[in-house]
């Protein structure tokens, strides 16, 4: 099982949509994938087209179990399990572990015991825990909030690989460098096998000069920029709530751009695992 953390400190870059589409592209290729929402904004269910599987109260608060319940189980009664919480999406090979706003409260609990709390997600996603609940995945894709906090640290500790998502704008570079430093700190202190697999530029307007110059600047800083760039396609924005673009519009140029990015990631991942430069 390979675990990819999708993140960046900067919001508004299409990170959740990218996480959903990466998970979808892997599922389309015949892999069994678990998409994990680790963002208190809890939008990944919409991005993978599974929002109708969740139950909400009249105020819009989630009634269904979420990953927050696994991190902070009730003091009384039986603790919820993965089999209680994981949902099968409408798309073959793609499951969802949803989030809720309660994840913020769970984060505060983890911060009170940082040495133990930093591995909370690792325990939830452990292969033996998955197997005990009847699940077996080839890939886990974790969507994270645009913050450098305990939740991000948990995701980085649990992950094997990191995919950073960035829009080609000058104001994006400093948040990316801060995110990179946090990845390096977690690798040095807790997870020595963590690999920053690549930086994917999203929402790119090719008529704007920065679209080409910003990736060159990032690459010059020694960061692994993917050759594939996801343009600012309207279909990617309007498909939100329907599911991964490879399933909802499989013959579109948008779907092909996502497949190209995923193919490049797999090549980088294979090289990393083989020890190649």
């Amino acid at each position: 099982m390979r675990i990819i953390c999708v993140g960046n400190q900067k919001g508004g870059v299409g990170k959740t949509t990218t996480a959903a589409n990466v998970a979808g592209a892997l599922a389309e290729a015949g892999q069994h994938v678990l998409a994990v929402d680790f963002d208190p904004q809890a939008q990944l269910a919409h991005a993978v087209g599974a929002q109708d599987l969740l139950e909400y109260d009249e105020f819009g608060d989630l009634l269904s179990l979420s990953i927050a319940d696994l991190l902070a189980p009730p003091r009384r009664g039986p603790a919820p399990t993965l089999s209680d919480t994981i949902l099968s999406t409408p798309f073959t090979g793609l499951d969802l572990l949803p989030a809720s706003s309660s994840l913020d409260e769970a984060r505060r609990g983890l911060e009170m015991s940082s040495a133990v709390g930093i591995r909370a997600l690792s325990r939830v996603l452990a292969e033996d825990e998955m197997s005990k609940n009847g699940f077996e995945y080839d890939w886990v894709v974790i969507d994270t909030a645009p913050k450098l906090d305990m939740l991000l640290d948990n995701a980085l500790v649990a992950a094997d690989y990191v995919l950073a998502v960035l829009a080609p704008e000058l104001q994006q570079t400093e948040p990316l460098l801060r995110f990179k430093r946090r990845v390096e700190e977690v690798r040095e202190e807790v997870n020595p096998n963590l690999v920053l697999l690549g930086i994917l530029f999203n929402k790119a307007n090719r008529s704007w000069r920065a679209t080409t110059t910003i990736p060159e600047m990032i690459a010059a800083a020694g960061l692994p920029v993917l050759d594939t760039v996801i343009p600012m396609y309207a279909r990617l924005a309007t498909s939100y709530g329907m599911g991964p673009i490879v399933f909802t519009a499989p013959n579109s140029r948008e779907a092909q751009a996502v497949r190209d990015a995923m193919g490049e990631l797999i090549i980088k991942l294979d090289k990393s695992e083989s020890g190649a430069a």
Side-chain angles (χ1 to χ4, degrees), residues 10-60:
K10 185 74 169 62
V13 298
K15 177 178 52 56
T16 295
T17 302
T18 300
N21 282 317
V22 165
L26 288 166
E28 184 198 32
Q31 302 290 289
H32 195 192
V33 184
L34 176 64
V36 176
D37 195 346
F38 214 52
D39 183 345
Q41 295 181 79
Q43 293 299 304
L44 190 58
H46 292 267
V48 299
Q51 65 273 19
D52 292 341
L53 302 176
L54 299 172
E55 183 181 356
Y56 298 87
D57 66 18
E58 59 182 313
F59 303 105

Side-chain angles (χ1 to χ4, degrees), residues 255-272:
Q256 190 55 52
V258 170
R259 293 187 191 104
D260 290 345
M262 196 64 248
E264 189 177 351
L265 276 174
I266 295 297
I267 291 172
K268 286 182 173 291
L269 187 149
D270 288 342
K271 286 183 177 179
S272 173

Side-chain angles (χ1 to χ4, degrees), residues 2 37 64 66 79 136 159 177 204 226 233 254 259:
R2 293 161 162 173
D37 195 346
S64 305
S66 76
E136 185 175 342
L177 293 176
L226 298 186
Y233 290 143
E254 295 89 339
R259 293 187 191 104

Side-chain angles (χ1 to χ4, degrees), residues 7-18 39 41 43 143-147 165-169 171-172 175 200-204 232 237:
N8 193 358
Q9 188 193 359
K10 185 74 169 62
V13 298
K15 177 178 52 56
T16 295
T17 302
T18 300
D39 183 345
Q41 295 181 79
Q43 293 299 304
D143 181 37
T144 59
K147 295 180 180 179
V165 181
L166 195 68
E169 302 168 0
Q171 65 266 35
Q172 301 270 349
L200 175 63
F201 280 87
N202 189 42
K203 294 187 175 182
M232 191 181 289

Side-chain angles (χ1 to χ4, degrees), residues 84-98:
D84 298 324
T85 313
I86 290 177
L87 303 173
S88 297
T89 76
F91 307 103
T92 300
L94 179 58
D95 291 348
L96 171 70
L97 183 50

Side-chain angles (χ1 to χ4, degrees), residues 235-257:
R235 192 192 300 266
L236 284 172
T238 58
S239 67
Y240 188 77
M242 300 171 60
I245 197 73
V246 295
F247 291 118
T248 59
N251 298 320
S252 65
R253 60 180 182 175
E254 295 89 339
Q256 190 55 52

Side-chain angles (χ1 to χ4, degrees), residues 68-113:
D69 298 294
L70 299 177
L71 295 173
R75 295 181 180 179
R76 296 180 180 179
T81 66
L82 280 168
S83 55
D84 298 324
T85 313
I86 290 177
L87 303 173
S88 297
T89 76
F91 307 103
T92 300
L94 179 58
D95 291 348
L96 171 70
L97 183 50
S100 70
S101 58
S102 299
L103 197 52
D104 254 335
E105 184 178 346
R107 171 187 55 78
R108 290 191 288 271
L110 297 178
E111 288 172 343
M112 293 176 65
S113 179

